[in-house]
């Protein structure tokens, strides 16, 4: 009744139905962890990938929500960034100008102050930011190609375009680098399912979920854009997290 039980950060009501693969999130509490024998998630210090007077880019770990939402009121990336700036004595506001799904890791761009947030937000709306991901998908894909299809977006059906190239492949799986030409919600996840190559660990969209894979294998590996304040070209990368790299090394023989 309080809306604190969620699916994909949206409140679930008593009338809602669940499907196989849905991830349901309960509000964190010591009593619940004791009952379920589930440890509270622990995150290390914030990893700053880039910082200037107007821009801050943080390497988000998987499992940490970007925004405050039901079940993530206190433990979210924005709250941690605000706490860091307060500790420094900075008095300006800060806000993320885009988002990553809860299970997706990688760089998140924050604006320092309202003017910076506005300028960076407009840059994203004009599709002036190149976004690259790495995903492990089921089966052997082509070496490179373009995914072009229609996906649901904000109550409408819109075209989504994603370019990809295979970094490693075998008959079981392919490690892809993907470049998003459009920014639809769950774009990469939906399109890869449509192509017959769902992402490993993606329960919602029917990806293979081996027990030795700790989470969904989707990582935002690079943001590339022109700094609207300095005019400099910025290429901000994030290395594949250790848990995903270990799984890849086992799958492709330390390639």
């Amino acid at each position: 009744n309080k809306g604190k039980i969620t699916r994909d950060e949206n409140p679930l009501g008593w009338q809602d139905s669940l499907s196989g693969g849905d991830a349901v999130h309960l509000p964190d509490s010591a009593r619940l962890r004791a009952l379920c024998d589930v440890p509270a998630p622990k995150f290390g210090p914030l990893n700053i990938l880039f910082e200037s007077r107007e821009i801050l880019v943080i390497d988000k770990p998987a499992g940490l929500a970007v925004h405050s939402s039901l079940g993530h009121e206190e433990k979210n990336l924005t709250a941690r960034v605000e706490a860091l700036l307060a500790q420094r004595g900075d008095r300006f506001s800060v806000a993320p100008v885009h988002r990553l799904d809860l299970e997706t890791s990688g760089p998140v761009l924050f604006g320092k102050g309202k003017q910076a947030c506005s300028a960076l937000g407009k840059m994203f709306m004009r599709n002036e930011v190149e976004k690259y991901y790495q995903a492990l998908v089921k089966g052997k894909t082509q070496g490179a190609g373009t995914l072009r299809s229609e996906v649901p977006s904000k109550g409408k059906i819109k075209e989504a375009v994603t370019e990809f190239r295979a970094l490693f492949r075998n008959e079981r799986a392919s490690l892809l680098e993907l470049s998003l030409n459009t920014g639809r919600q769950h774009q990469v996840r939906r399109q890869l399912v449509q192509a017959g190559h769902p992402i490993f660990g993606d329960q919602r969209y029917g990806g293979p979920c081996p027990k030795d894979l700790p989470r969904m294998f989707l990582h935002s590996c690079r943001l590339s854009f022109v700094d609207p304040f300095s005019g400099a070209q910025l290429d901000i990368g994030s290395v594949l997290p250790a848990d995903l790299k270990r799984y890849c090394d086992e799958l492709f023989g330390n390639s």
Side-chain angles (χ1 to χ4, degrees), residues 20-66:
D22 282 347
V24 176
H25 297 274
L26 307 178
D28 186 30
S29 74
R31 182 168 179 262
L32 182 63
R33 289 197 303 273
L35 288 171
C36 300
D37 194 27
V38 176
K42 295 181 180 180
F43 303 104
L46 291 176
N47 182 15
I48 298 174
L49 298 175
F50 175 83
E51 186 170 11
S52 68
R53 187 177 65 177
E54 301 87 1
I55 295 172
L56 178 65
V57 183
I58 302 292
D59 203 8
K60 184 186 90 69
L64 183 65
V66 173

Side-chain angles (χ1 to χ4, degrees), residues 93-120:
S93 61
V94 64
V97 295
H98 67 119
R99 58 162 288 172
L100 294 176
D101 289 340
L102 180 69
E103 294 184 71
T104 305
S105 51
V108 175
L109 176 62
F110 285 79
K112 294 180 175 181
K114 293 182 179 179
Q115 291 184 346
C117 289
S118 176
L120 294 169

